[in-house]
Amino acid sequence: MKLTVFGATGQVGLQVIKQALWQQHEVTAFGRNVFDIKMDDPNLHLFKGALFDEEDVAAVLQDSNAVISAIGGAFDGSDKARSLGIKTIIAQMKKAGIRRIIALGGMGILNADEDTLLMDTPSYPAEYIPVGNEHRKAYEYLRDSDLDCTFVCSPDIINDGPTGNYITSHNYPPAPNRYKINAGDLAQFMLNELEKNEYVKARVGISAV
């Protein structure tokens, strides 16, 4: 499979690339600092570009089969990389005829109940609201796009490799929930989901066990 990875230089993006190459996928990593990636593999291609530049995004998507987005940004919500970046990617995916995208977001946009998101409950930590709003906008763009999207709603991310010991659930936090997950396990789930397609057009709750 030919994959394009956005947010390639972050902790989850780097894990996605490592594991995708091990699985013999052809990977194109996209980003401003993408040449900081020091991996020597003939199936890895580095594309230096700007996330808000439509021409750059269109160019990197040529011949791709699917997209994985691990876009990060400021925790205080002061930049719009997560939301407007996804909006740009969606537009160019549609033009290129690419339908499958798996994107990383935050746990706050999972359901607390049928009518309320976790981030809209009174007990949700106020310091997570700004970044939660970015995740909410990114998810809404994906939900309304009609693409075959999966939105992975991560708790706190530990910068460590895969263990394979995690649980997932549709649209709600998993139970039990340890409120943390390794970057490597997020990457493992995202790549497995490309093959299994168990969470198409859904949010995913995930937690270490």
Side-chain angles (χ1 to χ4, degrees):
M1 186 180 295
K2 294 182 178 180
L3 303 178
T4 298
V5 179
F6 293 91
T9 58
Q11 56 187 354
V12 177
L14 288 171
Q15 287 285 338
V16 168
I17 292 168
K18 289 178 184 178
Q19 295 183 41
L21 292 173
W22 183 80
Q23 294 177 18
Q24 300 297 307
H25 295 299
E26 186 173 344
V27 180
T28 301
F30 179 93
R32 292 175 299 178
N33 304 311
V34 74
F35 289 103
D36 291 344
I37 297 173
K38 305 302 181 184
M39 300 184 202
D40 186 15
D41 191 294
N43 283 329
L44 175 62
H45 313 287
L46 305 178
F47 190 109
K48 181 179 175 65
L51 189 57
F52 297 154
D53 188 311
E54 293 182 358
E55 292 184 359
D56 284 353
V57 175
V60 77
L61 289 175
Q62 295 303 311
D63 300 322
S64 291
N65 303 124
V67 170
I68 291 182
S69 171
I71 298 169
F75 190 75
D76 63 3
S78 60
D79 70 68
K80 305 301 178 187
R82 295 175 178 89
S83 60
L84 296 184
I86 284 290
K87 185 179 182 181
T88 304
I89 292 166
I90 289 168
Q92 299 310 315
M93 285 180 66
K94 288 184 174 182
K95 289 181 181 179
I98 303 166
R99 292 203 51 81
R100 192 67 171 110
I101 177 170
I102 301 177
L104 184 63
M107 192 178 73
I109 66 159
L110 292 169
N111 291 348
D113 56 43
E114 290 186 1
D115 302 314
T116 310
L117 300 181
L118 287 176
M119 64 176 291
D120 293 331
T121 61
S123 61
Y124 195 76
E127 62 268 27
Y128 294 160
I129 296 295
V131 70
N133 283 327
E134 273 292 283
H135 291 147
R136 188 204 305 255
K137 290 175 184 175
Y139 168 65
E140 288 171 350
Y141 285 134
L142 285 167
R143 180 196 63 197
D144 297 340
S145 70
D146 198 38
L147 295 178
D148 295 329
C149 60
T150 301
F151 201 70
V152 185
C153 302
S154 172
D156 288 342
I157 300 173
I158 309 301
N159 192 16
D160 207 346
T163 66
N165 296 318
Y166 57 88
I167 54 174
T168 58
S169 62
H170 277 84
N171 300 322
Y172 284 83
N177 187 1
R178 296 185 63 197
Y179 298 93
K180 64 181 181 180
I181 185 74
N182 280 10
D185 285 327
L186 282 170
Q188 185 181 93
F189 169 77
M190 294 168 94
L191 288 166
N192 286 345
E193 173 61 15
L194 279 179
E195 302 293 336
K196 296 180 178 179
N197 295 312
E198 294 178 339
Y199 292 91
V200 176
K201 298 186 187 297
R203 288 160 291 154
V204 182
I206 189 167
S207 171
V209 296

